[in-house]
Amino acid sequence: MSSIIQLLPDHVANQIAAGEVVQRPASVVKELLENAVDANATDIKLIIKDAGKALVQVIDNGKGMNVTDARLCFERHATSKIRLAEDLFSLSTKGFRGEALASIAAIAHVEMKTKQDQDELGTQIVIEGSKFVSQEVAVLPRGTSFAVKNLFFNIPARRNFLKSDTVEYRHIIDEFQRVALAHPNIYFTFYHNGSEMFNLPPTSLRQRIVNVFAGKTNEKLVPVQEETDIIIIQGFVGKPEFAKKSRGEQFFFVNDRFIKSGYLHHAVMAAYDGVLKDGAQPSYFLYLTVPPNTIDINIHPTKTEIKFDDEHALYAILRASIKHSLGQFNVAPVLDFDRDANLDTPYSYKDMKGATPTIQVDRSFNPFSDDKVNKHYAAPSSYSRKTEATANWESLYVGLKQDTDFDTDGGEMSFESETVTASLFNDEEVEQSVNIAYQIHKKYIVSPIKSGMVIVDQQRAHQRVLYEQFLVNMTVQQASSQQLLFPLDLYFSTVEIELIAELKQSLINTGFVFEDTHGDHIVISGIPVNVTESEVSIVLEQLLSDLQDGIPSSSFSQNDTIAKSMARSLAVKTGTALSVKEQENLVNGLFACKDPNVSPFQKPTFITMRVEDIDKKFAL
């Protein structure tokens, strides 16, 4: 019987590996940026076209490669990062697997230009789907340039499964921010379709965070610093009042490598216990430094998961250090109600020694000198002071005209007993209004009907009413706006500003009036009638959170998403007490909707109970 097991060709093996390593254009961005950092580059440029589908190019001024290395780097498991298996336990570089470039070259058109500082000429290589097209000598600057074009050109099914440009672009920004935040000492620039999106010169860690996320990021950062034998923690956490519903600004770095860890995230949330609203997510930028031999990075090709030797100790130290920082900066509440916060020692002064105070003595001072006595102990003139005669209070009423109905001799006074109002109808004709709606547990509204009663979920019902109102405003007629006396300045990140710009017309139809849009904030001068000024930021944050997966392509789907998000934010919440009039209006508004049976999220808004069903409950 002939053998059936055979070695796969290299180009087939590369395509299989590419399925793990390269999931989307953002994966290419991550691998190329990390290679540039490993090459000791101090200036890195990222150029993107069509959200990475047409072009992903990374240009660095690193150490470059010679002719042999330039050709060998595209082979599988060819790497300069490690040599022995033991090196996996002392990693100081981003990459080490040697699969990224081979995987990228298998599914795209790649053009690489590289040159070392000591060489006069560099090398230019063109590869299309693992096939070497050309290799030439070229005049190049020091460093390396990778241009990846037409991603997944030979795997059309994979290309068709890519999301919209907006979604892919957001993933690219996420990867760029992770590398840029981990290395504040490197100059990063980012261009998308010819426009400069980020320009990040080398700065301190705090300034790099502010430059990346713009807005008022600086005022919401609280520094965290802790050093122990097993871990060094530094970075920043956000103040509780700036917490958002989305988890966008949460970063863990271990030895300058971005990671995801639900366990460590739980430690951060435990430190914020009691100071956050329900569902709010704090922002944090935490940099952990641990010995390389105590972690295992080689778990997944993306290298975002890490196993720690002693996770429980890291959990306790991280939670304690964040709690300590929140307490030192008077962010977390304390139980000492008589404590004066102005008398606390500032965090930066805790290790400083106090200086000895200097004493100054006025040797010419004489308390018994004549001029002092005359000045301070002169006979008081207040004893001979004449008091002014004050007018009698009765003089205030002198000269007033006496009212004919007022008897000054002690007679009776006549007053009008009650206000007489005219009525259009007789009392017998006026039907007394009956309370037809009752609220139970501040959650349900019970209203009687002919066949029994209806029980309405107040939150879902209000969501349905608002949802249909917003849809009408966006599709049929533009809603009216209420002008603000003082325009609102709302600060957002670069990605969020772009999302709001794309949704601007739909938001205008709902009643928002945008006065201006800057690089890091927007100015709103008018808001919808049923939105209060304090709810504007909540509505927009919820909308941005709901659009994490991108904006729908069709206009109706886009309007539908916005209407659902705003209805969710503005609907009356469970636990809110409603007046009788509000209850009646809500019930009437629900049954005036086109589809009152379900909420915008396809959940029932009310149930009915017939009298017969109630009778059965009492039957013996």
Side-chain angles (χ1 to χ4, degrees), residues 147-434:
V148 180
K149 306 174 185 177
N150 305 323
L151 196 64
F152 299 122
F153 79 99
N154 53 355
I155 312 178
R158 191 68 174 271
R159 188 177 180 89
N160 292 335
F161 274 105
L162 291 178
K163 303 290 185 181
S164 64
D165 285 0
T166 305
V167 177
E168 298 299 340
Y169 175 60
R170 293 196 64 177
H171 283 287
I172 289 174
I173 286 184
D174 288 342
E175 296 294 348
F176 175 80
Q177 289 177 346
R178 291 166 183 175
V179 179
L181 290 173
H183 302 278
N185 58 327
I186 299 178
Y187 200 128
F188 286 95
T189 48
F190 179 15
Y191 300 90
H192 182 229
N193 290 339
S195 302
E196 183 180 86
M197 308 309 300
F198 290 94
N199 191 331
L200 308 175
T203 52
S204 64
L205 180 58
R206 187 183 191 116
Q207 189 61 44
R208 173 56 59 88
I209 296 172
V210 173
N211 290 341
V212 169
F213 292 99
K216 295 185 176 181
T217 308
N218 187 43
E219 65 185 53
K220 67 181 182 182
L221 296 180
V222 176
V224 178
Q225 183 78 33
E226 195 66 45
E227 185 172 349
T228 65
D229 294 337
I230 61 175
I231 188 174
I232 299 174
I233 301 174
Q234 60 179 351
F236 301 91
V237 294
K239 295 178 181 177
E241 59 265 28
F242 293 98
K244 298 182 178 181
K245 292 187 177 181
S246 61
R247 299 179 59 173
E249 299 179 5
Q250 296 180 344
F251 295 88
F252 278 118
F253 298 94
V254 175
N255 296 351
D256 290 336
R257 182 192 302 276
F258 172 80
I259 68 158
K260 297 178 181 178
S261 174
Y263 189 66
L264 295 182
H265 172 75
H266 191 273
V268 176
M269 297 303 293
Y272 277 92
D273 188 24
V275 297
L276 281 181
K277 297 180 181 177
D278 290 340
Q281 294 288 334
S283 57
Y284 53 80
F285 309 87
L286 296 172
Y287 297 75
L288 316 180
T289 304
V290 298
N293 59 349
T294 62
I295 57 175
D296 183 10
I297 304 169
N298 190 24
I299 297 174
H300 192 272
T302 58
K303 299 185 284 290
T304 56
E305 297 179 21
I306 287 183
K307 292 295 183 184
F308 297 93
D309 274 0
D310 192 355
E311 284 188 330
H312 297 287
L314 298 183
Y315 183 99
I317 295 172
L318 183 62
R319 183 182 62 178
S321 59
I322 294 175
K323 271 203 168 192
H324 174 71
S325 294
L326 294 177
Q328 284 287 344
F329 287 88
N330 299 328
V331 174
V334 293
L335 294 178
D336 186 2
F337 299 107
D338 297 328
R339 167 178 155 273
D340 187 358
N342 296 322
L343 302 179
D344 290 348
T345 303
Y347 190 70
S348 56
Y349 291 0
K350 64 184 180 67
D351 296 326
M352 295 179 62
K353 296 182 179 179
T356 304
T358 57
I359 301 175
Q360 296 181 354
V361 179
D362 184 7
R363 300 187 181 277
S364 63
F365 175 73
N366 183 3
F368 302 103
S369 61
D370 294 339
D371 55 344
K372 297 288 183 182
V373 172
N374 292 337
K375 183 176 182 180
H376 292 284
Y377 295 96
S381 60
S382 58
Y383 294 109
S384 59
R385 191 171 51 195
K386 293 182 179 181
T387 59
E388 259 183 38
T390 58
N392 194 345
W393 65 271
E394 295 177 351
S395 64
L396 295 173
Y397 298 93
V398 174
L400 289 178
K401 185 179 180 181
Q402 298 295 328
D403 195 347
T404 56
D405 292 334
F406 187 84
D407 188 3
T408 56
D409 296 333
E412 291 185 358
M413 294 179 290
S414 61
F415 292 99
E416 197 171 22
S417 59
E418 63 180 17
T419 304
V420 178
T421 57
S423 176
L424 295 175
F425 306 100
N426 294 328
D427 292 340
E428 295 82 8
E429 299 176 0
V430 178
E431 183 180 354
Q432 297 294 326
S433 62
V434 182

Side-chain angles (χ1 to χ4, degrees), residues 483-558:
Q483 288 296 117
L484 296 175
L485 184 60
F486 301 103
L488 281 176
D489 281 1
L490 299 178
Y491 288 82
F492 297 97
S493 65
T494 306
V495 181
E496 293 171 337
I497 288 288
E498 286 197 355
L499 274 177
I500 293 176
E502 293 185 42
L503 301 171
K504 190 173 182 180
Q505 188 56 47
S506 297
L507 292 174
I508 290 174
N509 292 337
T510 61
F512 285 97
V513 178
F514 294 89
E515 191 172 295
D516 199 1
T517 302
H518 300 281
D520 59 350
H521 71 284
I522 60 175
V523 181
I524 297 176
S525 59
I527 57 177
V529 177
N530 51 357
V531 179
T532 61
E533 187 174 343
S534 60
E535 292 174 329
V536 174
S537 59
I538 300 174
V539 169
L540 292 180
E541 282 182 14
Q542 180 66 54
L543 179 59
L544 294 172
S545 177
D546 291 339
L547 292 171
Q548 288 292 331
D549 295 330
I551 301 174
S553 55
S554 65
S555 60
F556 176 77
S557 299
Q558 181 175 319

